[in-house]
Amino acid sequence: MLLRILKNIFLSLVSILFICPILSLMSILFTKSADSGWVVSTLFPEYILNTLVLMVGVGSISFIFGVIPAWLTTFFSFPGSRAFEIALFFPLSIPGYIVAFVYVNTLEFSGPIQSLLREILEWSKGDYWFPEIKSLGGGILVMGFSLYPYVYILVRSSLRNVSNSVTIASTLGFSSLHSLFSVIIPSIHPSIIAGLSLVLMEVITDFGTPQFLAIDTFTTGVYRTWFLLHDKYSATVLAVVELIFIATLITTEKILQKRGISYSAINANSDYHSKRNINGTAPLIFAYIMCVLPILIGFALPIIPLTYWCIEKGFFIYEARFYSIIANSFSLSFVTALISISIAIMIGYAARKNRAISSVARLISLGYAIPNAIIAISIIIFLSKISSFITQYIVEVSLIGTVGALIYSYLFRFFAISFKAIESGLKKTPNEIEWTAYTMGHGPISTCLNVHIPLIRKSILSGFLLVFMDTIKELTATLIIRPFNFETISTRIYELVSDERYREAAPFSLMIVTIGLISTMILFKLDDGNKK
């Protein structure tokens, strides 16, 4: 009885902590009387157009380089195919804002590329045209080749389940390309839609990449209107419209998922197939282009300048502040990941038997779809109301600008990642194991600790690493909520790049890349281990 009461109190508290910040943000629409006409007429058209163009462009690149390389490395064998299969994950380790500032520094007029061209070819400023990286086209390129791994990962997992269908198609005379478009894509379209949905949500919610590339989107608009123009009402209007935008995207994804039929389940238990060799020069060149290009643009080309600048500056040797900032990021990310995975285990385990708890879990998982800027602003408003109440009736206190508030914002945003990992692991655990534990006298808590947690340890590690990695890279909420004089790796990069001190930002950027690479390799090994 006591356990049930504590469980209900815990779930109520979690629900309140999720719902109240958003309600606090919405309340500004009803308490302020400012005129937002200038926002609608001046900012909305540009924000909507830029966001839509980015979504279409980035979505197209993610589809092409998420599906085709996954198909090539899964069903075909060619020199280097195994290395490509792993390396195609690598762009996931570099945040888009790091890729953006590297390309800005190297490709702008004063950068080394254009300077070298002018020196070799003796061009003057008006004698040639060079693509502008600070543009919508540059944003599509940078974000597309940074985000395609979301599609690649899901498609790669699904392709393992359609091998029988591909074999049958080949015996019926289908060519490889015909099988891809007629059999494989229709069979795995739920995974493609899910991956593209994640990509498009990242496009809508990203702040750092559009900011560095001078692209005005909803998220940059919310940040600029609230913190630079100090127009809270207009920023709230933008935030609400952005939330409607995201809700429409999620609803569209659900409709598309329900309308189609996935055939991958037919082969869910089939043995893994043998790969076919690629014959012919043209198909081999095509395979290398499709596999090398995303790795080159999304990972290799940004890494080379970063490594050179780090060696040039030698920051790892003598700057003590560097290690202090790393310690801040590591401790924050570790605590956030630990709390998030712990809450996910408790809620995921309880949700197995209770639909109400499952609904609460689904509700708080929607935080991943909300832009960090909106989350940060909502939490600031919510915590300011709580601080005012406590100060008025109990003791003077301020909850804003604290490490606790920062962790709160991270949990709000990244809980969905840890919960999905735990839920996936628990679904693979047979109910008979739990029933056997109960008959042997183990209660729910004992069964969870001694049976389920050891069985889903890979899922726990995956969820922990994903939250840890995303927290390390997170920029927007950290900029807004962090305590005074408290810096993380991402905020230090933002400050240095904003001051055009690109080379000084390189060591911090390379540290994020190193953490991301290690985490990505571990996740790849875990995923490969689960498939075998």
Side-chain angles (χ1 to χ4, degrees):
M1 183 68 180
L2 179 61
L3 185 62
R4 183 177 299 177
I5 293 173
L6 291 175
K7 180 176 69 177
N8 291 334
I9 292 173
F10 173 73
L11 290 173
S12 300
L13 180 62
V14 169
S15 301
I16 289 171
L17 290 176
F18 175 81
I19 296 171
C20 285
I22 300 300
L23 294 178
S24 300
L25 177 67
M26 300 293 188
S27 68
I28 293 181
L29 294 176
F30 304 99
T31 57
K32 302 289 183 180
S33 58
D35 178 20
S36 64
W38 71 274
V39 176
V40 177
S41 60
T42 306
L43 300 179
F44 271 20
E46 183 180 6
Y47 290 161
I48 290 175
L49 179 61
N50 288 346
T51 303
L52 287 175
V53 170
L54 282 175
M55 289 172 68
V56 172
V58 174
S60 300
I61 290 177
S62 299
F63 174 79
I64 294 170
F65 291 98
V67 174
I68 295 179
W71 168 64
L72 289 170
T73 56
T74 301
F75 289 105
F76 299 94
S77 178
F78 53 96
S81 59
R82 178 60 179 171
F84 288 136
E85 190 176 4
I86 301 172
L88 283 161
F89 280 83
F90 288 176
L92 197 64
S93 65
I94 311 183
Y97 59 83
I98 292 179
V99 179
F101 91 72
V102 171
Y103 278 136
V104 166
N105 190 37
T106 54
L107 297 178
E108 277 198 319
F109 178 78
S110 58
I113 303 296
Q114 291 199 53
S115 299
L116 183 62
L117 287 174
R118 288 195 301 270
E119 183 178 342
I120 294 174
L121 302 175
E122 298 182 352
W123 285 338
S124 60
K125 184 174 181 180
D127 289 343
Y128 69 98
W129 174 86
F130 197 85
E132 178 59 56
I133 189 66
K134 287 188 175 182
S135 62
L136 276 172
I140 290 171
L141 186 75
V142 169
M143 297 177 78
F145 286 104
S146 296
L147 297 175
Y148 81 86
Y150 286 109
V151 179
Y152 172 78
I153 291 170
L154 294 177
V155 168
R156 178 178 174 271
S157 297
S158 297
L159 284 174
R160 295 172 178 269
N161 296 325
V162 298
S163 58
N164 285 352
S165 297
V166 175
T167 303
I168 294 170
S170 64
T171 61
L172 294 174
F174 282 57
S175 66
S176 297
L177 283 176
H178 193 187
S179 297
L180 172 64
F181 292 104
S182 301
V183 178
I184 295 175
I185 291 179
S187 298
I188 64 169
H189 81 277
S191 297
I192 296 174
I193 292 171
L196 287 175
S197 177
L198 286 172
V199 168
L200 296 181
M201 278 196 287
E202 288 291 333
V203 171
I204 296 172
T205 61
D206 194 3
F207 167 76
T209 310
Q211 178 77 359
F212 290 154
L213 296 177
I215 303 171
D216 292 326
T217 63
F218 273 118
T219 302
T220 59
V222 170
Y223 182 88
R224 187 181 301 117
T225 306
W226 186 286
F227 293 99
L228 300 183
L229 301 179
H230 304 289
D231 186 349
K232 296 183 178 181
Y233 186 86
S234 297
T236 304
V237 172
L238 288 174
V240 170
V241 173
E242 186 171 6
L243 288 175
I244 294 172
F245 218 72
I246 291 171
T248 303
L249 177 62
I250 294 172
T251 304
T252 304
E253 182 207 356
K254 297 299 181 185
I255 293 172
L256 291 174
Q257 294 276 21
K258 288 181 179 179
R259 282 186 177 179
I261 301 174
S262 175
Y263 301 97
S264 61
I266 296 174
N267 304 297
N269 296 318
S270 61
D271 292 330
Y272 191 61
H273 61 283
S274 58
K275 295 184 178 183
R276 297 166 55 187
N277 292 323
I278 293 182
N279 298 317
T281 304
L284 193 60
I285 292 174
F286 172 77
Y288 278 119
I289 290 174
M290 296 305 299
C291 292
V292 170
L293 195 61
I295 299 169
L296 188 68
I297 297 176
F299 182 78
L301 291 181
I303 284 294
I304 294 170
L306 285 177
T307 306
Y308 173 76
W309 295 336
C310 284
I311 296 172
E312 181 184 49
K313 300 300 290 186
F315 266 42
F316 292 111
I317 299 174
Y318 61 81
E319 192 186 68
R321 189 182 184 186
F322 176 82
Y323 301 100
S324 173
I325 292 171
I326 289 175
N328 288 342
S329 288
F330 266 72
S331 56
L332 266 178
S333 300
F334 182 84
V335 171
T336 300
L338 187 62
I339 295 174
S340 181
I341 205 71
S342 300
I343 296 174
I345 291 171
M346 288 187 283
I347 294 181
Y349 183 69
R352 282 164 60 89
K353 303 295 182 183
N354 192 308
R355 287 189 176 182
I357 298 174
S358 180
S359 299
V360 170
R362 296 285 179 273
L363 174 66
I364 59 179
S365 294
L366 291 175
Y368 189 72
I370 302 175
N372 285 337
I374 297 177
I375 291 174
I377 292 171
S378 301
I379 287 175
I380 286 176
I381 298 170
F382 177 55
L383 293 181
S384 67
K385 293 180 183 297
I386 294 179
S387 297
S388 298
F389 178 82
I390 295 175
T391 299
Q392 184 176 355
Y393 294 102
I394 304 176
V395 64
E396 185 174 348
V397 67
S398 176
L399 301 176
I400 304 172
T402 62
V403 172
L406 196 54
I407 293 175
Y408 179 17
S409 71
Y410 294 154
L411 292 173
F412 194 109
R413 172 87 161 109
F414 300 130
F415 168 79
I417 300 174
S418 54
F419 178 74
K420 289 292 183 183
I422 296 300
E423 185 183 41
S424 175
L426 288 173
K427 281 182 178 178
K428 299 174 184 176
T429 306
N431 289 327
E432 288 78 6
I433 295 177
E434 192 171 358
W435 299 336
T436 303
Y438 288 162
T439 58
M440 295 178 66
H442 292 277
I445 296 177
S446 176
T447 302
C448 180
L449 293 175
N450 298 305
V451 178
H452 286 92
I453 288 180
L455 287 174
I456 63 169
R457 59 185 181 276
K458 287 186 177 180
S459 297
I460 293 173
L461 180 57
S462 296
F464 181 91
L465 285 174
L466 286 169
V467 175
F468 182 87
M469 190 165 53
D470 277 353
T471 306
I472 286 279
K473 296 189 291 186
E474 204 287 322
L475 173 63
T476 319
T478 314
L479 275 175
I480 296 171
I481 298 180
R482 61 179 172 150
F484 181 71
N485 273 345
F486 184 88
E487 289 185 306
T488 64
I489 299 175
S490 59
T491 61
R492 185 60 179 161
I493 292 171
Y494 179 81
E495 290 172 356
L496 291 171
V497 173
S498 298
D499 294 337
E500 298 188 358
R501 296 156 63 189
Y502 300 107
R503 283 167 171 74
E504 295 181 29
F508 299 98
S509 302
L510 202 59
M511 179 57 63
I512 287 185
V513 174
T514 303
I515 295 167
L517 265 180
I518 294 171
S519 302
T520 300
M521 291 300 296
I522 294 173
L523 290 171
F524 178 84
K525 291 295 183 183
L526 290 174
D527 180 64
D528 247 23
N530 290 332
K531 300 297 179 185
K532 293 177 181 178

